[in-house]
């Protein structure tokens, strides 16, 4: 199985399925395409049906779009354990993932993922501040529910208890909040610290530091 990804420093969409595979120790090869390099289009042509990364290639099958890839991995390799077991919790997890997937345009534009950026603050528009406020609201609701369920269980510290696709979908946001020093309430900070210290995220970040490409429009 092969995952086609973009630059680890910048490609927030690529991080998601990569971390899911990595977290659950599912063997895969990775193939990196340098985003916006002169030969990007040529390199994508045989691999990426929509000329975007990530794409998962499993034998004859190509799956594109980060969320669709996560769904496929969950069904084919994780016996559906990457979503919450409870159907109501699962519905909520899917809602917050869909919101992440479709919304927050100001966050994406004004705070591009840049894993190796030395953390510092930037000036934000009101719209970007509202995106951030909404994400914090989502995290706080999820984390408060988990805390009231079983806070003493170390398996219960992620957005929906155990590590799930919801944590994968919000991981690039954790990276952004760290890079741009976005202040969050205490339990969201605890959540962010835990995500930033996951072995998979540390591996991804180290690889992003080792990359030589620098894209001016993402360097804010
Ligand atoms: N909704 C898609 C978005 C994929 C996407 O926009 N990928 C960017 C890189 S992070 C890309 O391939 N850009 C190349 C281009 O737009 O030409 C997903 O979730 O995978």
């Amino acid at each position: 199985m092969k995952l086609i990804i973009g630059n680890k420093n910048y490609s927030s969409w690529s991080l998601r399925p990569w971390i899911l595979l990595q977290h659950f120790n599912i063997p895969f090869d990775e193939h990196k395409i340098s985003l916006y390099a002169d030969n990007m289009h040529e390199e994508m042509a045989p691999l990426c049906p929509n000329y975007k990364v990530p794409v998962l290639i499993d034998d004859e099958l190509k799956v594109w779009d980060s969320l669709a890839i996560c769904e496929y991995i969950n069904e084919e390799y994780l016996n559906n354990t990457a979503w919450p077991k409870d159907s109501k919790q699962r519905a909520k997890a899917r809602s917050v993932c869909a919101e992440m997937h479709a919304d927050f345009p100001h966050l994406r534009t004004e705070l591009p993922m840049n894993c190796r950026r030395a953390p510092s603050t930037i000036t934000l528009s009101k719209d970007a501040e509202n995106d951030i406020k909404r994400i914090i609201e989502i995290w706080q609701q999820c984390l408060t529910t988990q805390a009231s369920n079983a806070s003493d269980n170390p398996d219960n510290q992620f957005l929906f208890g155990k590590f799930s696709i919801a944590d994968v979908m919000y991981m690039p946001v954790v990276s952004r909040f760290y890079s741009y020093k976005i202040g969050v309430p205490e339990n969201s900070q605890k959540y962010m610290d835990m995500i930033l210290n996951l072995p998979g995220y540390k591996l991804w970040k180290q690889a992003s530091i080792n990359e030589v490409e620098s894209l001016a429009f993402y360097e804010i």
Side-chain angles (χ1 to χ4, degrees):
M1 181 157 62
K2 189 181 282 187
L3 184 67
I4 317 297
I5 58 170
N7 306 38
K8 286 191 171 153
N9 194 43
Y10 304 114
S11 186
S12 55
W13 308 97
S14 301
L15 168 58
R16 296 160 167 179
W18 188 95
I19 208 83
L20 189 63
L21 289 165
Q22 212 284 335
H23 188 87
F24 288 106
N25 294 313
I26 299 168
F28 69 105
D29 295 321
E30 64 181 60
H31 175 118
K32 182 183 137 184
I33 296 181
S34 255
L35 287 174
Y36 311 111
D38 291 345
N39 62 347
M40 179 183 87
H41 203 260
E42 207 180 305
E43 273 215 67
M44 283 181 169
L47 302 170
C48 309
N50 62 343
Y51 287 88
K52 288 192 191 313
V53 286
V55 175
L56 186 78
I57 304 182
D58 198 12
D59 289 326
E60 301 300 304
L61 177 73
K62 284 196 182 98
V63 190
W64 64 96
D65 188 280
S66 55
L67 187 52
I69 299 171
C70 290
E71 291 279 11
Y72 176 76
I73 296 166
N74 174 55
E75 286 183 19
E76 286 294 309
Y77 291 92
L78 294 172
N79 199 20
N80 292 315
T81 53
W83 286 120
K85 212 168 169 183
D86 175 76
S87 64
K88 293 200 165 66
Q89 284 293 299
R90 198 160 61 244
K92 196 164 175 204
R94 286 202 161 108
S95 297
V96 304
C97 287
E99 187 171 347
M100 180 68 245
H101 210 44
D103 285 342
F104 309 120
H106 308 287
L107 175 99
R108 292 181 208 287
T109 317
E110 294 182 39
L111 300 87
M113 192 176 88
N114 185 342
C115 293
R116 63 178 176 234
R117 184 180 195 273
S120 68
T121 54
I122 52 169
T123 306
L124 296 168
S125 70
K126 194 84 206 136
D127 288 333
E129 278 175 5
N130 285 338
D131 280 357
I132 291 167
K133 224 166 108 190
R134 172 62 189 147
I135 290 170
I136 293 174
E137 185 178 59
I138 291 171
W139 288 357
Q140 288 296 111
Q141 276 173 5
C142 291
L143 295 170
T144 308
T145 307
Q146 286 319 313
S148 62
N149 282 351
S151 55
D152 53 344
N153 183 350
D155 247 4
N156 223 15
Q157 294 163 4
F158 294 96
L159 292 177
F160 289 89
K162 287 205 291 195
F163 186 83
S164 76
I165 291 175
D167 302 291
V168 161
M169 292 297 286
Y170 280 86
M171 195 171 286
V173 177
V174 171
S175 175
R176 288 169 156 110
F177 281 12
Y178 173 78
S179 298
Y180 301 100
K181 291 181 100 167
I182 304 299
V184 298
E186 198 181 331
N187 46 351
S188 284
Q189 188 59 56
K190 211 169 135 208
Y191 172 71
M192 281 181 53
D193 293 344
M194 184 180 59
I195 294 290
L196 294 167
N197 279 300
L198 288 175
Y201 182 76
K202 284 184 171 175
L203 279 175
W204 178 274
K205 182 169 175 177
Q206 189 52 51
S208 79
I209 291 168
N210 296 340
E211 283 177 343
V212 290
E213 305 95 326
S214 179
L215 297 175
F217 48 91
Y218 286 145
E219 297 292 334
I220 299 196

